[in-house]
Amino acid sequence: SDVSDYEYDMLQRELKALEEQYPEFLRPDSPTQRVGGEAQSVFTPVAHPVRMESLQDAFDFSEIDDFDRRVGESASAYSYVVEPKIDGLSVSLEYENGVFVRGSTRGDGDTGEDITANLRTVRTIPLKLREALPYIEVRGEVYMSRAVFLSLVKQQELNGEEPFKNPRNAAAGSLRQKNAAVTASRQLDIFVFNVQRYEGADFSTHKESLDFLRSLGFVTVPFYTPCADIKEAEAELERIGNIRGELGFDIDGAVIKVNEFAIGMGPAIFKKQKGETLYALRAFPIGGYCAMEGEDDESEDSRAFCRKPVWRRMIIIVAGVCMNFLLGFIILVIQISTSEAITTTTIHSFEKGALSRETGLKEDDKIIGINGMRIFTATDMSYKFTTDEDGVYDITVIRDGKRVTVKDVKLKMTDDVIHYDFWVYPKKITPVSVVTQSFKQGLTDARLIYISLADIVRGKYGIKDMSGPVGIVDSIGDVIESEKDEDTGKMDWSSLIDTMLTLSAFITINVGIFNILPLPALDGGRLIFLIIEAVRGRPVDPEHEGMVHTIGMLALFGLMIVITVSDITKLV
């Protein structure tokens, strides 16, 4: 049951006396530890590993609709939560094994100040959670209720002091007192509204996180309303606006948050919301994208892409391509680790009467070069053999520990088709061999893509040899059909999955390499403009850059239309 302030003070005095008599039983989460005895001369800086972001303002429904459009571009399915925005001072609270260990101000978002002693005086901040989580950091808003503010102002006027202008200033000034006893006398409160970092808990939506915070003993924002779409969210905004005068505390608006913590293309199979960013893992792992504030237009947000130093923007552009390579590498690791063995480039044996053996190759030769091209994988070997016109090769091998080049090695050719007349050794699947082979195969895929692009430029391949989305879908259909048993019609699922993973990795790496080409509208084109900006010391006129990118985009769309028509013509 509730106790009066007098009874609470008497109980606290009794507890303090017992702790002084038996100091071995003094605990850091004791109520007596809320008020520090010594004044602080300085507040220690605290780095925030997860940035305490500021909110993006919207002043009318058109801006809110624009926010909804941007969310929709990043997520296939989403909903919202609307809650009042408390007008106070934003703080971080950290707990280890369920015990409050540190509190700090937001500061500039990256670095705040340690005000643990003062925050201990806020009675609505639990010193010990109901569940001893290994670690959790939450964010809340410390505020002063209107009733307490009016009482404080009255007292200040009686004392001849200059009163605080509003409850927010009063809360901020009270929290930054060097003597925690002064803070305690101000009767501050807190509403917790976000999980920054945590261990030992699991939730998938923002509402679930708020419910979880309540279960731990935190006082969360007084109400938070789930909304299925932006129209419901806007209706809730209007409701909060109508009742703001009836609340016992000041608010400076309301907050719309993406409720679902929602990567690839297609439908999302895993989503995670962190701060203001929505991360999604999608069903088809063949690339992805990142849309950034201020990427294609001006933005007043200090964190926007356009307001970052040129070197940071260059790193961001390159990082996108690196993520494609990383995703391709991960797919290759999965594909190779599920294979029975790794195909090497070391000759195990020959067919009877093998032409390649008669012209110089031997058992245990490790092929490392063909016609001047370095060979990393069996795919490299296959490419060089099948793209040669006469079936005669200069092959470099490792033989008895020495590098040897065998001239004019021949393979049998029938109707322009090369016939392999030797077998290679398989390599055992181990963690080390999988990682090594995945790296080599990634290099192979990247190099073959560049070679193909160079062949297109040289005119070796024409439009009819290229494929767009239609051609890719048709090729996938051919792959699926090739894995069916001709007699029974049964699908060889293991082989199909292996082939599809190989194709996915190749397409993913292809997307990354194509995107870094120095062409307008692509990341490579943007990188060229950033390099020019770095050299000149000033950016290219945004209007001129935008025109170049628009022309490049139209050219790419035109090429895609031509390739699509070519693909359809092949099908017909």
Side-chain angles (χ1 to χ4, degrees):
S1 61
D2 294 337
V3 298
S4 66
D5 289 344
Y6 174 79
E7 290 173 314
Y8 181 89
D9 291 340
M10 291 301 100
L11 288 170
Q12 186 162 7
R13 179 178 294 181
E14 182 181 353
L15 176 59
K16 188 173 183 180
L18 288 169
E19 289 173 341
E20 290 174 352
Q21 185 177 356
Y22 305 103
E24 65 272 21
F25 295 114
L26 177 61
R27 294 163 55 99
D29 58 333
S30 168
T32 63
Q33 299 305 297
R34 287 193 179 275
V35 182
E38 298 181 3
Q40 300 180 81
S41 59
V42 67
F43 295 109
T44 307
V46 175
H48 298 307
V50 176
R51 179 179 170 84
M52 295 178 69
E53 302 281 6
S54 58
L55 295 172
Q56 295 181 352
D57 293 330
F59 297 98
D60 55 47
F61 285 152
S62 66
E63 293 185 42
I64 293 171
D65 291 338
D66 188 51
F67 162 74
D68 179 63
R69 176 187 59 76
R70 295 198 305 271
V71 173
E73 290 173 352
S74 301
S76 55
Y78 54 95
S79 58
Y80 295 111
V81 166
V82 178
E83 57 197 56
K85 183 181 181 299
I86 314 303
D87 194 11
L89 186 73
S90 190
V91 298
S92 159
L93 308 177
E94 296 176 66
Y95 292 77
E96 293 179 0
N97 298 316
V99 177
F100 178 50
V101 293
R102 186 167 68 176
S104 55
T105 61
R106 175 184 176 273
D108 63 2
D110 295 313
T111 305
E113 294 178 320
D114 190 328
I115 53 169
T116 306
N118 290 354
L119 287 172
R120 285 183 180 278
T121 70
V122 180
R123 291 189 179 182
T124 41
I125 294 179
L127 298 179
K128 186 177 182 179
L129 303 180
R130 292 170 184 163
E131 184 179 339
L133 295 176
Y135 180 85
I136 187 169
E137 177 189 2
V138 301
R139 182 175 175 179
E141 199 84 2
V142 174
Y143 70 97
M144 182 178 286
S145 69
R146 288 174 181 162
V148 171
F149 171 70
L150 292 174
S151 176
L152 174 63
V153 168
K154 185 176 181 180
Q155 188 61 47
Q156 287 177 318
E157 290 174 341
L158 289 173
N159 295 340
E161 300 169 353
E162 184 177 350
F164 287 113
K165 299 287 191 238
N166 52 57
R168 186 187 189 284
N169 288 354
S174 300
L175 264 187
R176 289 188 54 79
Q177 291 291 323
K178 293 179 180 179
N179 191 335
V182 176
T183 306
S185 69
R186 298 287 171 82
Q187 301 179 54
L188 299 176
D189 281 299
I190 191 172
F191 285 130
V192 173
F193 60 83
N194 198 55
V195 177
Q196 297 292 97
R197 295 182 293 161
Y198 62 93
E199 296 174 13
D202 186 33
F203 33 82
S204 60
T205 69
H206 179 62
K207 182 182 181 301
E208 285 181 14
S209 73
L210 291 174
D211 293 341
F212 178 70
L213 289 174
R214 278 190 173 180
S215 72
L216 292 177
F218 289 108
V219 180
T220 62
V221 284
F223 53 89
Y224 40 94
T225 308
C227 300
D229 53 40
I230 200 64
K231 294 304 177 186
E232 287 187 15
E234 290 172 349
E236 178 62 10
L237 291 178
E238 287 192 300
R239 187 186 77 84
I240 293 175
N242 291 333
I243 66 170
R244 66 185 303 170
E246 303 170 14
L247 303 173
F249 48 86
D250 280 1
I251 65 173
D252 56 353
V255 185
I256 301 178
K257 296 181 179 179
V258 177
N259 185 36
E260 291 187 59
F261 297 154
I263 273 186
M265 300 178 184
I269 56 177
F270 173 78
K271 297 179 289 184
K272 184 176 178 64
Q273 179 82 19
K274 183 179 178 182
E276 297 172 7
T277 305
L278 182 72
Y279 301 90
L281 177 64
R282 299 182 181 274
F284 309 116
I286 55 172
Y289 67 92
C290 178
M292 292 170 283
E293 175 78 14
E295 184 177 5
D296 293 312
D297 47 26
E298 287 297 317
S299 173
E300 295 301 319
D301 193 327
S302 62
R303 297 165 291 142
F305 178 81
C306 61
R307 295 190 173 273
K308 296 300 179 183
V310 65
W311 64 269
R312 290 188 66 178
R313 283 179 277 147
M314 292 168 72
I315 290 173
I316 291 169
I317 292 293
V318 174
V321 177
C322 292
M323 283 305 297
N324 273 100
F325 293 149
L326 179 59
L327 180 57
F329 175 78
I330 292 171
I331 296 172
L332 287 170
V333 167
I334 296 170
Q335 182 260 322
I336 294 170
S337 62
T338 55
S339 302
E340 294 182 0
I342 295 171
T343 305
T344 70
T345 63
T346 303
I347 298 173
H348 174 268
S349 56
F350 294 89
E351 291 181 356
K352 187 177 180 180
L355 190 57
S356 61
R357 185 176 189 178
E358 293 176 359
T359 53
L361 292 183
K362 295 182 179 181
E363 283 89 348
D364 297 323
D365 278 351
K366 181 180 180 181
I367 299 174
I368 62 169
I370 301 176
N371 289 348
M373 180 175 130
R374 183 75 166 88
I375 300 300
F376 295 107
T377 65
T379 305
D380 289 332
M381 198 164 60
S382 176
Y383 170 79
K384 287 304 291 182
F385 283 148
T386 55
T387 56
D388 189 80
E389 296 178 354
D390 60 4
V392 180
Y393 313 90
D394 293 341
I395 300 180
T396 303
V397 301
I398 299 296
R399 179 181 296 171
D400 299 327
K402 297 178 181 179
R403 184 187 181 101
V404 178
T405 298
V406 185
K407 298 283 188 178
D408 299 328
V409 176
K410 296 180 180 179
L411 290 176
K412 186 178 180 180
M413 181 180 286
T414 305
D415 297 328
D416 294 329
V417 176
I418 295 292
H419 174 68
Y420 293 85
D421 57 6
F422 60 85
W423 291 275
V424 295
Y425 282 101
K427 189 174 185 178
K428 187 178 179 181
I429 297 291
T430 67
V432 173
S433 68
V434 167
V435 171
T436 302
Q437 185 66 19
S438 298
F439 181 74
K440 289 181 178 180
Q441 189 63 49
L443 288 178
T444 290
D445 289 350
R447 183 171 59 174
L448 291 181
I449 292 164
Y450 270 119
I451 291 172
S452 299
L453 289 171
D455 287 342
I456 292 172
V457 172
R458 288 195 296 261
K460 185 175 180 178
Y461 301 119
I463 294 294
K464 62 182 179 61
D465 299 306
M466 300 181 192
S467 286
V470 174
I472 291 173
V473 171
D474 184 51
S475 296
I476 292 173
D478 291 341
V479 169
I480 293 172
E481 286 298 319
S482 69
E483 300 301 340
K484 287 183 179 179
D485 187 285
E486 293 183 1
D487 298 324
T488 64
K490 289 185 178 180
M491 184 70 70
D492 186 343
W493 289 105
S494 176
S495 179
L496 177 60
I497 292 171
D498 181 81
T499 303
M500 293 303 293
L501 285 171
T502 301
L503 184 60
S504 295
F506 186 84
I507 294 174
T508 299
I509 294 170
N510 185 28
V511 170
I513 287 178
F514 189 77
N515 206 25
I516 202 63
L517 292 176
L519 299 175
L522 301 179
D523 282 347
R526 293 180 183 275
L527 190 59
I528 294 297
F529 278 101
L530 291 175
I531 292 172
I532 294 172
E533 180 181 340
V535 172
R536 297 172 68 213
R538 66 181 189 277
V540 176
D541 187 304
E543 201 170 307
H544 296 161
E545 182 180 349
M547 188 181 300
V548 171
H549 287 316
T550 299
I551 294 171
M553 183 64 75
L554 291 173
L556 288 173
F557 275 128
L559 178 61
M560 184 59 68
I561 291 170
V562 171
I563 293 174
T564 301
V565 171
S566 175
D567 284 339
I568 294 172
T569 302
K570 292 176 198 173
L571 292 176
V572 176

